[in-house]
Amino acid sequence: MSQPPKHILVIRLSAMGDVAMTVPVLRAFRALYPEIKITVLTRGFYKPFFRDLENVNVFEADLKNKHSGFFGLLDLSKELRLLGIDAVADLHNVLRTKILKVFLLDLKPIQIDKGRSEKKALVKGEIFEQLKTTHQRYMEVFEKLGVPIIEAQPQFPKRSILSSNIRDMVGSDIKKWIGIAPFAAHKSKMYPLPLMAEVVKALSHEYTVLLFGGKEDAEYLNTLQGSQVHVIAGKLSLDAELDVISNLDVMLSMDSGNAHMAAMMGIKVVTLWGVTHPYAGFYPFHQDLDFALLADRSKFPKIPTSVYGNKFPEGYENSMASIRPEEVVEKVKQVIKKPY
């Protein structure tokens, strides 16, 4: 592309963690190219992720109704053209986005290289090395569009001012806040709940603990609630939840969307890894590698068994139990003292 684009359509429909990982990249883009307009095509639920990015608009894809199927995507392409886009960055690269790009072919869309062959080699045990991160793969797309993103010291949003409703929910204690998100899409990516209960109890002696998750997780999390343990799950909108996350001192999370949400807000994140591994490229943005605790690979040598945690040999679903609760507590205490 001889001339840089004036208005880029960025496609990233799902999943939550992947959408959150676009935010630091777009923030870096904004710092370099403030004059170029960006429209993010994503699900309406994720709109709050982009709330603090200037000159970035969100176009909501209604994939279950208005924009479903072949003709729905055709209608979507017509709506997008009315925005005046002159470039397309497909950061999703699935069948649905491939069809959409057919209708936008004259704009010469650039799609992400997901590195499927390298990831396949990683999980088959043919290689064991750090692959390109998802953030790097996103940046490669912009480079191909003629607007390279130079990595620099990242900027993050300021801590949000919490509403009185949230303040009443989490209390007024001045102790440091530890967010904990115990759940993940697959059991093999979850720290055993009885062990996590030990972690929560130990941390609550020194810190205020806030428990995150979906509405379906709230019933279990409520059993852990105490004077220094507050359940956030299922009580707030995503926008308000981001406000709370921006005020954390540390987030303790699985290899899951909550890790990426905290990272995009500039919060230190301690991550726990089971059958997945940071080498696949999904480590949270700008986090020290020392902030991660991994399952014991000497006992589970086939790790990573899959990129997303959905495939594993018998017995590997319990690999995270090889991380002792006292290790987790000590790691959180170490990280909370480190500058970021």
Side-chain angles (χ1 to χ4, degrees), residues 201-267:
K201 183 177 180 180
L203 288 174
S204 68
H205 292 319
E206 296 184 44
Y207 309 107
T208 295
V209 176
L210 308 180
L211 301 177
F212 292 82
K215 289 182 179 180
E216 66 278 8
D217 306 323
E219 182 177 355
Y220 170 76
L221 294 178
N222 284 332
T223 66
L224 304 179
Q225 186 152 321
S227 60
Q228 296 299 326
V229 181
H230 307 281
V231 177
I232 301 298
K235 295 181 179 179
L236 299 173
S237 66
L238 179 58
D239 209 27
E241 196 166 297
L242 290 174
D243 289 342
V244 176
I245 290 174
S246 77
N247 282 271
L248 296 177
D249 292 284
V250 172
M251 170 69 87
L252 170 62
S253 175
M254 309 300 102
D255 169 22
S256 68
N258 285 281
H260 300 294
M261 288 166 61
M264 79 180 193
M265 304 295 288
I267 303 303

Side-chain angles (χ1 to χ4, degrees), residues 3 10 12 15 18 20 23 31 72 84-85 95 112 132-133 141 168 174 184 186 207 237 282-283 303 308:
Q3 294 293 325
V10 175
R12 181 66 255 190
D18 296 287
V23 175
I85 58 174
L95 178 60
I112 186 175
K132 289 179 182 177
T133 69
V141 174
D168 290 342
I174 60 173
H186 304 287
Y207 309 107
S237 66
F282 293 97
Y283 197 68
I303 289 175
Y308 303 110

Side-chain angles (χ1 to χ4, degrees), residues 35-46:
E35 74 285 357
I36 298 178
K37 187 175 182 180
I38 288 179
T39 293
V40 178
L41 176 66
T42 193
R43 298 174 187 267
F45 178 77
Y46 300 129

